[in-house]
Amino acid sequence: MTTRIFSGIKPTGHLTLGNYLGAIRQWVAADQEPDEALFCVVDLHALTVEHDPARVRRLSRQVATLFLASGLDPEKCTLFMQSHVDEHTRLSYVLECTAADGELRRMVQYKEKSARAQRTGESVRLSLLTYPVLMAADILAYGTEEVPVGEDQRQHVELARDLAVRFNQRYGHTFTVPKVTLPKVAARVMDLQDPTSKMGKSGGAGPGVVFMLDEPEVIRKKVMRAVTDSGDGGVVYDREARPGVANLLDVLAACTGGEPAVLADGYGGYGALKRDVADAVVEVLRPVRERHAELAADPAAVEKVLREGAGRARALARPYVDRAYRAIGLLAP
């Protein structure tokens, strides 16, 4: 029996080590084996804030290329661009008619991003408020059963669950209620300079962010300058009291397959730990960078994968969305 999986990444910045260890590598290792795994560049979500259209296009292509370079196989999974499948926006409006204003305004990311926009004098786009509903449509349009995401997206998947249940109760059983699946290690890689904040692709080119396409010498410099913790307690795995060291151990564990707390026992100081983390990160990203260079030289091949993936995605989504339209009271065309 197969399990349908859906997940995606926004093209709002260059993909980071956190994107790779926390999501993409897990998709490659386990999640694409089912016959019905869908992975999407959610480019419509990149429009919720101020953006440069040309940059969104460049990053969308780069993200798709990195998906392939990381090992996602279009023979095993469906890889596509969100905006190429109209069923996402068709279903989003129907779900907006199911969602409530209050529950959307309680979304943590909306509160944080809208507050930041207001502080800088920017207007807050309506799409920033409603994009969790579009994310729910992304998921529910395919009868998705599992959504592999980072911890920071759990609230949005919970909203998708709530909307599926509410729609089913009001209009009859229509949607599968999905569940969140989280990676066991490095689910949330933190910024090397601010280990209390996530390593985010939208945070610029700061020294605490390792990008998937960084050169080895750049990676080593960033890791060796990573913030550790004050005190002389040695290398101890403690997320609360020692977030800097814990972040390095999480990264090392994710790269090598070890356990963070066990790895900590092998180090007497920060220098050796940082050198091993730097070596591990360089080696885990090396094949991805090399394969990306090959694929980037043949953009037509990547576009073919996206075109064929969108066709498969449309065929999968249309029956679910049509059924939702009928259930809520709309006439068939």
Side-chain angles (χ1 to χ4, degrees):
M1 182 178 179
T2 59
T3 299
R4 184 164 290 177
I5 290 169
F6 177 95
S7 199
I9 292 179
K10 288 186 295 185
T12 52
H14 299 290
L15 295 190
T16 71
L17 177 67
N19 295 125
Y20 183 68
L21 296 180
I24 300 171
R25 194 175 64 164
Q26 174 179 299
W27 300 350
V28 172
D31 297 333
Q32 71 171 331
E33 291 304 322
D35 294 334
E36 298 182 289
L38 299 103
F39 301 108
C40 181
V41 182
V42 285
D43 52 344
L44 293 174
H45 291 301
L47 311 183
T48 60
V49 294
E50 188 67 29
H51 64 276
D52 172 24
R55 185 169 187 266
V56 170
R57 285 191 289 270
R58 286 196 305 271
L59 289 174
S60 296
R61 183 175 288 106
Q62 185 184 88
V63 171
T65 306
L66 279 169
F67 280 177
L68 292 168
S70 299
L72 287 179
D73 184 349
E75 297 298 319
K76 294 181 179 180
C77 65
T78 299
L79 177 61
F80 64 104
M81 199 69 59
Q82 178 193 29
S83 62
H84 295 177
V85 180
D86 293 344
E87 278 67 26
H88 290 249
T89 49
R90 285 184 62 209
L91 183 56
S92 182
Y93 180 74
V94 167
L95 293 179
E96 284 185 16
C97 297
T98 309
D101 175 79
E103 64 188 340
L104 297 183
R105 293 187 186 279
R106 287 193 295 272
M107 294 287 111
V108 172
Q109 289 201 23
Y110 171 72
K111 290 193 288 187
E112 291 177 349
K113 290 182 178 180
S114 61
R116 186 160 58 244
Q118 289 171 348
R119 285 197 302 270
T120 58
E122 297 178 12
S123 61
V124 179
R125 301 185 183 199
L126 179 61
S127 56
L128 185 64
L129 177 65
T130 60
Y131 98 86
V133 181
L134 176 57
M135 181 175 172
D138 299 337
I139 296 165
L140 299 180
Y142 298 98
T144 303
E145 294 161 293
E146 294 184 4
V147 187
V149 294
E151 179 63 42
D152 60 318
Q153 291 296 324
R154 179 194 287 271
Q155 188 184 36
H156 291 156
V157 181
E158 292 296 334
L159 176 68
R161 289 172 52 85
D162 292 343
L163 294 180
V165 169
R166 189 178 307 154
F167 192 99
N168 290 346
Q169 289 173 342
R170 290 179 180 176
Y171 308 114
H173 184 76
T174 305
F175 296 118
T176 300
V177 180
K179 68 177 181 180
V180 178
T181 57
L182 300 171
K184 294 179 181 179
V185 178
R188 199 175 191 193
V189 177
M190 311 306 279
D191 190 290
L192 296 177
Q193 292 297 315
D194 179 10
T196 62
S197 299
K198 188 180 79 164
M199 185 181 287
K201 61 183 182 297
S202 302
V209 180
V210 174
F211 296 104
M212 290 178 65
L213 294 178
D214 275 347
E215 296 290 338
E217 59 271 22
V218 174
I219 294 172
R220 294 184 192 281
K221 183 179 295 185
K222 289 179 178 179
V223 173
M224 294 306 295
R225 293 178 177 177
V227 169
T228 50
D229 309 294
S230 59
D232 56 359
V235 178
V236 178
Y237 185 70
D238 186 333
R239 283 180 178 269
E240 297 299 321
R242 312 289 295 281
V245 174
N247 187 39
L248 291 172
L249 289 166
D250 276 337
V251 170
L252 183 61
C255 290
T256 62
E259 291 291 333
V262 175
L263 290 170
D265 294 336
Y267 294 96
Y270 299 146
L273 172 62
K274 288 182 176 181
R275 285 191 293 273
D276 284 356
V277 171
D279 288 343
V281 171
V282 166
E283 289 309 310
V284 83
L285 291 180
R286 187 188 304 279
V288 178
R289 288 177 52 253
E290 292 173 352
R291 180 59 176 149
H292 176 271
E294 295 172 3
L295 290 166
D298 187 9
V302 177
E303 290 169 4
K304 182 174 182 289
V305 168
L306 293 174
R307 188 166 54 250
E308 293 176 351
R312 290 197 298 272
R314 280 192 293 269
L316 288 171
R318 189 167 296 127
Y320 288 96
V321 178
D322 286 349
R323 186 166 66 188
Y325 269 50
R326 290 193 300 271
I328 204 169
L330 299 175
L331 286 173

